[in-house]
Amino acid sequence: MPTADFQQTFQNAVSLQQQKKYDEALSAYKSLLEQNPDLSRDQIADISYNAALTSFNKQDFLASYVYNQKALMLRPRHSPATELALKIKTQFQVKATPHDISLIENLNKAGLEAFPVEALWVFGTVFFVIFLRSVFNYFLTRKKEILENLKFSRFAYKNYFWLVLFLVFSFLSGLKIREEQIPKALIRNEQATLRTAAGENQAALADLPGGSLVHILRVTKINDILYFQIKYPGGISGWTKKEDLELISSPNLPKD
């Protein structure tokens, strides 16, 4: 539950944004995100959207993209963030990084991303109920045929269609749940250098462009600096500093 201090800081940030004091407003929004780990997904999404809009007005389109993507990943149906995404797209696009395209990435591009897990479960449940009803009706028919000494009818193959749909939607739900459970972050700077191990003196592997979505594998601390082992989906993995990342959430990460 947000405290009175949180509410006051948030209102001050909104006021600064309305006064076009964008640097001060953005600093306040960052402080809210970093110092309030118990915020709900919706609250983080709203603050991130405000930070995105502030950054857009500053013409910092990379920061605007990162914060807005964070808002949309936490609340896909965030209407203002969806509208802002269209404006950002005219000013900034993430540079493509060569990688193997995964099944979930292909499905998301095909439209799966727009469906929440709950909707997939509802559709799957409906199809399963229809299948069970067809099975129930079939056994009622069989019972009647036995009583009337009639020739047994076969279970219509078309009824298996509902079972197949149930299995497909269950599979898609499982993929979505698994994908959502993976800790993720966005590259917040112009680029992030991936290194072979945690630490500034380690060999560089590659540079990931700003705005790239990555999976978080591990986190460790060296000399009071947090380093994250990240993986670009379908691509390379390596270590980078926390300051290069905008965390989508604060999960319980495996630590060294």
Side-chain angles (χ1 to χ4, degrees), residues 94-101 105 194 206-213 232-236:
V94 180
K95 295 179 182 178
T97 300
H99 66 288
D100 296 327
I101 299 178
E105 187 175 351
L194 299 187
D207 292 326
L208 284 182
S212 299
L213 178 67
Y232 187 77
I236 195 169

Side-chain angles (χ1 to χ4, degrees), residues 88-133:
I88 296 172
K89 191 174 182 179
T90 64
Q91 303 292 336
F92 173 83
Q93 293 189 35
V94 180
K95 295 179 182 178
T97 300
H99 66 288
D100 296 327
I101 299 178
S102 64
L103 174 61
I104 188 67
E105 187 175 351
N106 276 322
L107 290 172
N108 282 333
K109 288 181 179 179
L112 180 63
E113 193 172 25
F115 292 90
V117 173
E118 293 80 4
L120 295 175
W121 273 114
V122 168
F123 281 116
T125 301
V126 169
F127 294 138
F128 188 61
V129 168
I130 294 174
F131 173 72
L132 288 180
R133 183 178 178 182

Side-chain angles (χ1 to χ4, degrees), residues 196-208:
T196 55
E200 282 298 295
N201 298 323
Q202 304 299 326
L205 289 170
D207 292 326
L208 284 182

